[in-house]
Amino acid sequence: MPSTTTRPGICRICSAHCGVLATVTDGRLTKVTGDPDNPMFKGYSCAKGRALPEIHNNPARLLHSQRRTPDGAYEPVESGVAMDEIAATLQALIEAHGPRSVALYLGTNGLPYPASALMGNAFIRAIESPMFFTANTIDQPGKQIALAAHGHWLGGDVDFGEADTWLLIGTNPLVSKAIGIPGQNPAQNLKAAVGRGMKLIVIDPRRSQTAARAAIHIQPRPGTDAVIVAGIINIVIGEKLCDWDFLAENVDGFEALAEAVSGFTPAYVADRADIPEQQLLDAARMFATYGTRGGMVNAGTGANFAMHGSVLEYLCLCLTTICGRWQRAGERVTRPNTLLPAFTAKAQPHPPYEGWGYGERLRVRGLTDTVAGMPTAALADEILLDGEGQVKALICIGGNPMAAWPDQRKTLRALENLDLLVTLDTEMSLTSRLADYVIAPRMQMETPAMTMGSELIKYYASGTGIPAAYGQYVPRLIEPPAGSDLIEEWQFFLGLAQRMGLEMWFVNFFGGGGGRFMESPPIVLNMNGDTRLTTEELFEQMCATSRIPFDEVRSHPHGKIFDVDAVVEPRDADCTAKLDVGNGRLLAELVAIRTDEYVAAQQDPAFPFRLIPRRHGNFMNSSGTNLAALHRGKPYNPTYMHPDAMAALGLQTGALVTVTSPHDSIPSVVEADDSLRPDVVAMHHAFGGLPAEDDEVRDRGSNVGRLVPTDVEYDPITGLPRQGDIPVSVTPRIEAAV
């Protein structure tokens, strides 16, 4: 008889960290479903989480670390031997070229393992290299830039569950579970909100699943989100719909904001964004006046991928602030900490702070370190540019640069130019196929888990995190496959440090402005090579100052919403801090967007379509695209087009096309989608093979990043290039003969 157990677990594919039930049969993960006894998720799960058995049992999974041989093949290598060799190579590179020659990249797949990212950051600091890069700066770095320029409201966010209005821009949280609508069963949360009368406003060139539930859906030309929000602010100010008392007590820069948006009249915005003027007016008035409990403004990846993400995010905060949409004294704290230390929420501002222009200065494009992190889009240049400071070694943890970074051809040249490339990867991804060493890690259910990461995310952006004092811890539910040699990622960095004679310490937060709001004592690691630290022991140290004792959290295996009576405290009597809605640097960029020269530069009849990103319900970036359980017979990412646009080009669904930008071109498979504007096409990012594998487009899909140059149009603060609102042409492509 097979031995079967079903126990509570945590899905860590995305930041929602859903509570699930995991069934293990004879030591093998066989089923994952939602956990009906979890008080936060109440049985909810998504397709990605339910596919965890296929992800764990993927035949392509690496069970042993790999080492590249002189002839370019790979051979298994014991993990300890790999660490010996990697540590020796790193030491030699540092001695020859300095610490800056070693860089580390942290991708989104670091989410499942809360100690891994922190230990990687601790390692790069221990060798005294400033070259720590993350996926944050190729996604939505404008969120942290905007918070630094605007300041934080220490009372926290308005509760989505109580708001009468909400504005979402370029985001589809019913699929992404990322921002705005709480990610703990977002469809149910939105249904409940609309059912009680909340009016949702969505700005999106596509009628997404979220937009379909909106009271008002504005469907503009891509790339005009900042123009629209500036127009809404102008209407709110012009019709005197602001919260004047809140402004007088808490806000500086109002006159500068009013002047900057004055040219964004309803008529101008309607023409520029190609939307009905009355719809813009209705949206502004509804957001500012409907109901008694107004909500907030959140922008997502789609809006940030277009140019001017920092400006857009700043305007979102400005609109939220001039309408007074923050929690006030006496109101419940929306996101109290559980596994993080307790904090005192106060009805007062934390003033703006330095967000960019400090720390390490890159050798290209005048870019510096920022509150959002080092500009990842410039890392390939730092590898390719000869001279002092050149990056010679790169360690990738939880990331796949060949699939995710912009300008794929440049990325390929850069990775091939390295003296040492190390990936920590569960399979031979595009990037791992170029690596000198591929370290095979344990997977989700083979490690313990906790929800601290879901709490941390609120410090990076408003509208994110868990809207309750919720916490869960689960032990490891299965052992690694028999005969395998797998380590946890944090153990890899600790092992390198021990071999290199380094001292390491870390705290529960790195990067972002939020670290200034959380007191967390450093965890100093015992670097004695004979000490066998476990993940369980490490978690205990990470949670030593948690609001709810760690033992109490783990005594509730299905998770628990704890009885935390946290309310926003009154303003300190001596507080003189103000939020700033008049940042000169960002408002100057807004004004420049309105110039005739800027508008003319956006128009090129050779590229009649605008390509926007689109979330995929079954994939978290490049992970799992080769699994039939997830791709369901369509392992590629189509070019979605409006049927009328396809008909004008003589195309039918399933036809091969070439998508061309001013920078490069990619093959693709076209698919009809009437949810789009006729002048817009949409694609999922992080698909495709290497450039030489374009003939496998129906099996791998297309790499959208190849269409994107990193050094032509980019955010001057974060280096984020234009990855959405990409001007493209679409032409029929002749199918290669088989």
Side-chain angles (χ1 to χ4, degrees):
M1 290 288 294
S3 172
T4 299
T5 61
T6 299
R7 292 186 290 170
I10 299 174
C11 173
R12 289 155 277 170
I13 287 177
C14 79
S15 61
H17 282 34
C18 297
V20 296
L21 291 178
T23 299
V24 177
T25 302
D26 291 340
R28 183 181 175 90
L29 185 65
T30 54
K31 186 177 183 180
V32 170
T33 62
D35 180 1
D37 294 322
N38 184 290
M40 178 60 68
F41 295 91
K42 301 176 182 178
Y44 169 76
S45 64
C46 76
K48 296 185 286 289
R50 293 190 294 273
L52 275 170
E54 286 79 10
I55 294 172
H56 261 265
N57 302 318
N58 182 358
R61 180 187 178 183
L62 292 176
L63 300 181
H64 299 269
S65 297
Q66 302 292 307
R67 174 175 54 195
R68 181 184 286 273
T69 61
D71 62 358
Y74 285 91
E75 63 183 6
V77 58
E78 194 269 322
S79 57
V81 172
M83 285 188 279
D84 291 340
E85 296 175 358
I86 294 167
T89 302
L90 289 174
Q91 283 184 311
L93 288 172
I94 292 170
E95 290 172 5
H97 305 287
R100 195 186 192 276
S101 65
V102 180
L104 187 145
Y105 172 68
L106 171 66
T108 51
N109 272 346
L111 286 171
Y113 316 101
S116 300
L118 299 171
M119 198 71 81
N121 178 260
F123 173 78
I124 207 75
R125 284 188 288 104
I127 65 173
E128 300 182 348
S129 171
M131 307 300 275
F132 180 75
F133 299 81
T134 75
N136 186 55
T137 52
I138 52 171
D139 189 346
Q140 302 177 64
K143 293 187 183 306
Q144 292 87 58
I145 299 300
L147 277 170
H150 172 269
H152 295 245
W153 180 252
L154 297 181
D157 293 353
V158 168
D159 187 353
F160 182 87
E162 299 175 355
D164 291 319
T165 58
W166 210 276
L167 173 56
L168 296 175
I169 306 168
T171 184
N172 185 15
L174 293 193
V175 173
S176 67
K177 300 190 287 295
I179 193 165
I181 302 170
Q184 297 72 33
N185 197 342
Q188 184 58 43
N189 285 323
L190 179 56
K191 181 179 179 181
V194 172
R196 62 174 170 74
M198 190 192 80
K199 302 297 185 182
L200 177 68
I201 304 164
V202 173
I203 300 172
D204 196 321
R206 174 176 171 254
R207 192 180 66 255
S208 67
Q209 294 91 328
T210 304
R213 302 296 304 273
I216 296 177
H217 172 209
I218 298 176
Q219 195 167 7
R221 288 191 181 105
T224 57
D225 300 305
V227 172
I228 295 170
V229 179
I232 291 175
I233 292 173
N234 190 28
I235 294 167
V236 170
I237 293 174
E239 298 189 1
K240 302 187 184 307
L241 305 178
C242 302
D243 186 327
W244 302 107
D245 291 339
F246 185 84
L247 285 171
E249 185 176 22
N250 298 294
V251 179
D252 278 337
F254 180 76
E255 293 77 12
L257 175 65
E259 174 64 25
V261 301
S262 61
F264 293 86
T265 64
Y268 174 81
V269 172
D271 179 68
R272 177 80 177 270
D274 190 28
I275 59 175
E277 182 176 341
Q278 188 60 49
Q279 188 184 44
L280 178 71
L281 289 163
D282 291 344
R285 292 164 181 163
M286 177 181 286
F287 178 77
T289 67
Y290 178 79
T292 60
R293 182 63 167 146
M296 303 180 70
V297 190
N298 299 124
T301 299
N304 278 267
F305 264 21
M307 291 294 294
H308 313 294
S310 297
V311 173
L312 172 65
E313 290 289 352
Y314 184 66
L315 292 176
C316 290
L317 290 173
C318 291
L319 177 56
T320 298
T321 290
I322 67 172
C323 292
R325 301 298 175 74
W326 302 103
Q327 291 292 76
R328 306 298 181 88
E331 295 179 335
R332 182 180 63 84
V333 176
T334 302
R335 295 184 173 86
N337 285 347
T338 302
L339 287 169
L340 291 173
F343 65 91
T344 300
K346 295 182 180 182
Q348 66 187 53
H350 182 288
Y353 48 90
E354 187 178 37
W356 61 89
Y358 58 79
E360 184 68 17
R361 181 169 295 275
L362 297 189
R363 299 178 298 154
V364 295
R365 301 193 280 287
L367 297 169
T368 69
D369 198 359
T370 73
V371 71
M374 295 284 281
T376 294
L379 181 49
D381 296 284
E382 287 287 340
I383 296 170
L384 290 169
L385 182 62
D386 291 336
E388 184 178 353
Q390 183 177 12
V391 172
K392 300 285 188 176
L394 176 64
I395 303 174
C396 294
I397 172 174
N400 187 3
M402 282 305 303
W405 287 7
D407 201 337
Q408 190 194 41
R409 294 187 198 274
K410 181 191 284 186
T411 300
L412 177 60
R413 295 196 304 273
L415 298 186
E416 291 179 333
N417 194 60
L418 289 164
D419 290 358
L420 177 67
L421 174 59
V422 179
T423 63
L424 292 92
D425 210 333
T426 59
E427 62 181 33
M428 297 299 287
S429 66
L430 293 186
T431 305
S432 291
R433 289 164 55 191
L434 305 172
D436 298 290
Y437 294 88
V438 184
I439 304 301
R442 295 192 177 199
M443 295 185 73
Q444 286 196 30
M445 299 300 176
E446 297 161 358
T447 69
M450 61 176 176
T451 52
M452 179 185 282
S454 281
E455 293 183 43
L456 276 170
I457 197 171
K458 67 173 171 281
Y459 290 109
Y460 287 91
S462 62
T464 59
I466 307 174
Y470 167 80
Q472 187 179 10
Y473 167 87
V474 296
R476 55 189 84 223
L477 299 182
I478 56 176
E479 291 299 317
S484 62
D485 173 24
L486 307 173
I487 64 172
E488 295 189 48
E489 291 161 325
W490 69 264
Q491 294 173 325
F492 169 75
F493 290 106
L494 182 61
L496 289 184
Q498 289 170 336
R499 287 162 171 81
M500 296 171 69
L502 303 173
E503 297 296 324
M504 289 215 304
W505 60 270
F506 69 86
V507 293
N508 288 338
F509 197 99
F510 58 81
R516 66 189 64 230
F517 308 116
M518 183 176 66
E519 294 185 6
S520 182
I523 297 170
V524 180
L525 298 163
N526 186 337
M527 302 307 292
N528 184 338
D530 296 330
T531 300
R532 304 292 293 180
L533 180 67
T534 67
T535 307
E536 289 82 356
E537 292 167 341
L538 194 55
F539 281 9
E540 289 178 0
Q541 294 184 54
M542 292 170 66
C543 298
T545 58
S546 60
R547 164 177 258 146
I548 306 298
F550 187 55
D551 284 343
E552 173 66 13
V553 173
R554 61 183 172 187
S555 72
H556 301 278
H558 295 274
K560 182 176 174 62
I561 299 174
F562 293 92
D563 185 16
V564 172
D565 185 22
V567 297
V568 180
E569 299 293 329
R571 183 189 188 100
D572 291 337
D574 61 349
C575 177
T576 60
K578 296 288 186 77
L579 302 173
D580 183 12
V581 298
N583 181 270
R585 167 67 180 75
L586 295 175
L587 291 184
E589 186 175 336
L590 172 66
V591 172
I593 293 172
R594 198 185 178 283
T595 62
D596 293 340
E597 293 81 5
Y598 179 88
V599 175
Q602 303 304 304
Q603 301 168 356
D604 187 341
F607 303 99
F609 297 99
R610 292 286 168 153
L611 190 155
I612 63 173
R614 175 169 170 173
R615 291 283 186 177
H616 198 301
N618 287 14
F619 301 109
M620 178 68 172
N621 299 330
S622 65
S623 298
T625 55
N626 61 340
L627 293 178
L630 288 171
H631 67 61
R632 298 174 184 174
K634 190 165 70 175
Y636 56 87
N637 53 331
T639 295
Y640 298 100
M641 295 185 72
H642 192 280
D644 292 348
M646 290 176 58
L649 294 173
L651 297 171
Q652 293 183 337
T653 290
L656 280 186
V657 294
T658 297
V659 180
T660 303
S661 76
H663 180 65
D664 208 331
S665 64
I666 55 174
S668 188
V669 182
V670 72
E671 183 170 317
D673 182 358
D674 64 5
S675 72
L676 293 164
R677 288 173 52 108
D679 57 352
V680 170
V681 300
M683 294 185 73
H684 308 294
H685 280 242
F687 277 71
L690 297 174
E693 298 168 336
D694 281 356
D695 58 346
E696 300 177 26
V697 61
R698 293 191 185 275
D699 298 318
R700 294 179 176 272
S702 316
N703 185 270
V704 179
R706 199 187 305 170
L707 300 174
V708 177
T710 58
D711 54 359
V712 177
E713 292 181 290
Y714 55 89
D715 187 295
I717 295 174
T718 66
L720 178 70
R722 182 194 292 270
Q723 297 183 108
D725 184 32
I726 305 170
V728 297
S729 65
V730 180
T731 54
R733 185 184 186 95
I734 299 175
E735 189 111 26
V738 179

